[in-house]
Amino acid sequence: MDFELSDEQKAIRQLCREFAQEVVVPAAPALDRESRFPYDIVRQMGGLGLFGLPFPEEWGGAGGDFLSYCIAVEELSRADAGVGITLEGAVSLGAAPIHDFGTRAQKERWLPDLLSGRQLWAFGLTEPQAGSDAGATQTRAELVNGQWVVNGAKQFITNSGTDISAGVTITAVTARSDGAARGEISAILVPRDTPGYVVQPAYHKLGWRSSDTHPLAFDDCSVPEENLLGRRGGGLRQFLHTLTGGRVAIAALAVGVAQACLDAALAYAKERSAFGRPISEHQAIQFKLADMATEIELARLITYKAAVTYQNSRPAALGQPAGEAEGDVQRLAAMAKLYASEASKRAADQALQIHGGYGFIEEYPVARYWRDVKASEIGEGTSEVQRMLIARTLGC
Ligand SMILES: Cc1cc2nc3c(=O)[nH]c(=O)nc-3n(C[C@H](O)[C@H](O)[C@H](O)COP(=O)(O)OP(=O)(O)OC[C@H]3O[C@@H](n4cnc5c(N)ncnc54)[C@H](O)[C@@H]3O)c2cc1C
């Protein structure tokens, strides 16, 4: 067991940490206040190669590993979780399914723009009547004269309505078998300029406000038959595979926010005095900081382990039925997301408490961290869903 990062991983961490400190930290309060998408930051992240980090050079990627990408998400989220989720949505949810399951023609058409950050692609699984129960998809796609005609709606879709959003991969019922309550579900690539593709007004969110989230509607939206992604009927399995990688990256996001909470709380505890000495000298405050540091260390360890396990399992998992190895990585990804998101929520709560009244005032960043941290317990599978998945692997 080797707990040292490679030189390349350390270099990515340094690069992202400096970029986050110099560029993202100063912009974050206004982006949050105005719920503004960070176009300029995204353009610069594209220039640094972050959108192509875990993909092969053949498609315009940087040829890095999955852990390096998770470290990038962590460092950016330490500055602004909205920027972190923008990268995570673009890479894990947008580009990865096309890379992992796309045909050569699909990859050639979409990946160069996505991996450079010139365009963003979205992932449309959640529907008004199908969230945790993703198999309850009601969006339909009917094959008519060589075209998939899509009708339905998706909700809470990240990166779906920016000026550079190019489209979405959706799950849709492509056939109903006789007597079956649920139909065959396939994944289909729907470009944004397709007639009948409606981006509805953005949500007013509690946190992750610099990220872009919209409901989408599809009204007789026709795309060529070749826009099927992967095997017909394989949509749900492909999306679950995609979510495994996504969950590891969300865990990294949560670690980044938790670290920001500790940084802010420690600095404040040293400068704020009560009862004649800095509050960092009161044992009750020290214990809070010690608990935060310990939980962050644990969260980071399981996240990095899950990232390395995911990286090692990828070739075997793609295109194959879910085997034992994929079960292992699914469980680890679920544990990492569950633990890191709940640990970061505790860290945000303690950081706010350490700030006293100022914690409740938006001029300190802890108020934003406290609002931001909640979403990682919900997006890409709630904590309840992660516990269900883990329990299933225990044989329950
Ligand atoms: C900011 C944001 C960005 C998002 N981005 C995307 C995106 O890009 N693409 C996408 O497809 N989705 C996205 N989502 C949607 C997200 O994945 C869903 O919100 C999430 O999976 C939960 O689904 P739901 O909201 O329908 O809740 P529901 O499924 O309705 O769940 C409601 C509550 O019931 C619990 N629950 C449900 N079933 C069970 C059960 N069997 N046992 C115990 N408890 C249960 C849940 O855990 C939850 O607490 C995003 C969400 C947010 C908030």
Side-chain angles (χ1 to χ4, degrees):
M1 217 182 269
D2 181 2
F3 291 103
E4 267 297 292
L5 295 179
S6 68
D7 288 346
E8 192 188 330
Q9 289 157 350
K10 285 182 192 160
I12 294 286
R13 186 177 60 185
Q14 191 58 26
L15 175 82
C16 293
R17 190 169 287 176
E18 283 171 14
F19 175 74
Q21 282 304 314
E22 286 164 20
V23 178
V24 184
V25 166
L31 293 172
D32 173 66
R33 205 168 42 246
E34 297 160 20
S35 292
R36 180 155 47 84
F37 186 78
Y39 287 102
D40 188 47
I41 290 174
V42 165
R43 187 184 51 71
Q44 293 183 61
M45 284 159 58
L48 294 175
L50 300 186
F51 290 95
L53 201 48
F55 299 104
E57 290 168 13
E58 180 187 3
W59 303 110
D65 60 16
F66 194 77
L67 177 54
S68 297
Y69 153 65
C70 287
I71 291 169
V73 172
E74 176 187 337
E75 291 298 332
L76 290 167
S77 304
R78 192 171 167 184
D80 181 351
V83 171
I85 192 61
T86 298
L87 177 64
E88 193 277 340
V91 171
S92 289
L93 304 185
I98 299 177
H99 171 266
D100 290 355
F101 302 106
T103 61
R104 173 160 278 277
Q106 288 167 345
K107 290 183 199 186
E108 281 171 354
R109 175 164 178 205
W110 302 112
L111 287 184
D113 282 334
L114 301 184
L115 304 197
S116 64
R118 285 190 294 272
Q119 292 187 337
L120 300 172
W121 197 265
F123 174 88
L125 179 66
T126 307
E127 298 188 0
Q129 302 306 326
S132 303
D133 185 8
T137 298
Q138 293 180 359
T139 296
R140 299 178 323 279
E142 209 182 331
L143 198 52
V144 183
N145 300 327
Q147 298 272 315
W148 292 108
V149 182
V150 181
N151 280 287
K154 297 286 173 180
Q155 68 179 12
F156 309 139
I157 307 305
T158 303
N159 288 337
S160 62
T162 71
D163 297 349
I164 55 171
S165 297
V168 60
T169 309
I170 57 157
T171 43
V173 175
T174 42
R176 296 225 178 256
S177 37
D178 288 344
R182 295 182 176 213
E184 163 199 271
I185 294 177
S186 305
I188 296 176
L189 298 161
V190 188
R192 185 179 177 176
D193 54 10
T194 312
Y197 184 128
V198 183
V199 179
Q200 292 172 333
Y203 296 99
H204 177 54
K205 302 195 294 285
L206 176 72
W208 290 4
R209 286 187 173 168
S210 60
S211 74
D212 174 83
T213 326
H214 295 257
L216 300 176
F218 306 95
D219 183 14
D220 279 337
C221 215
S222 286
V223 299
E225 189 173 358
E226 309 80 83
N227 282 25
L228 179 74
L229 182 69
R231 188 174 58 76
R232 180 169 174 164
L236 212 49
R237 203 190 90 68
Q238 286 165 216
F239 268 49
L240 295 179
H241 169 82
T242 299
L243 284 173
T244 299
R247 284 168 183 159
V248 182
I250 294 284
L253 180 153
V255 171
V257 182
Q259 185 65 54
C261 291
L262 177 58
D263 298 342
L266 185 58
Y268 189 80
K270 285 181 175 169
E271 83 189 29
R272 173 73 178 174
S273 286
F275 297 94
R277 51 192 168 135
I279 59 170
S280 62
E281 291 180 16
H282 296 296
Q283 199 178 48
I285 299 291
Q286 291 173 353
F287 281 11
K288 287 187 202 303
L289 294 166
D291 286 348
M292 286 160 77
T294 305
E295 292 202 12
I296 292 168
E297 183 70 16
L298 287 172
R300 186 175 284 120
L301 274 175
I302 192 170
T303 300
Y304 287 13
K305 179 178 177 186
V308 172
T309 309
Y310 179 73
Q311 165 86 25
N312 294 342
S313 77
R314 279 185 102 198
L318 298 181
Q320 306 296 325
E324 207 174 307
E326 188 154 20
D328 285 349
V329 71
Q330 272 173 6
R331 173 167 63 173
L332 210 44
M335 287 175 165
K337 179 177 184 290
L338 174 66
Y339 186 77
S341 59
E342 294 192 352
S344 67
K345 187 181 68 177
R346 288 190 289 273
D349 209 45
Q350 296 293 39
L352 196 150
Q353 191 69 17
I354 288 171
H355 280 69
Y358 277 118
F360 205 67
I361 307 292
E362 289 285 353
E363 76 185 71
Y364 277 85
V366 283
R368 169 165 54 91
Y369 304 153
W370 193 83
R371 289 186 285 100
D372 277 344
V373 89
K374 185 64 194 167
S376 45
E377 281 189 287
I378 297 170
E380 303 193 32
T382 61
S383 288
E384 289 79 6
V385 166
Q386 308 313 314
R387 287 190 167 88
M388 279 157 58
L389 264 163
I390 296 163
R392 202 175 298 150
T393 67
L394 299 176
C396 298

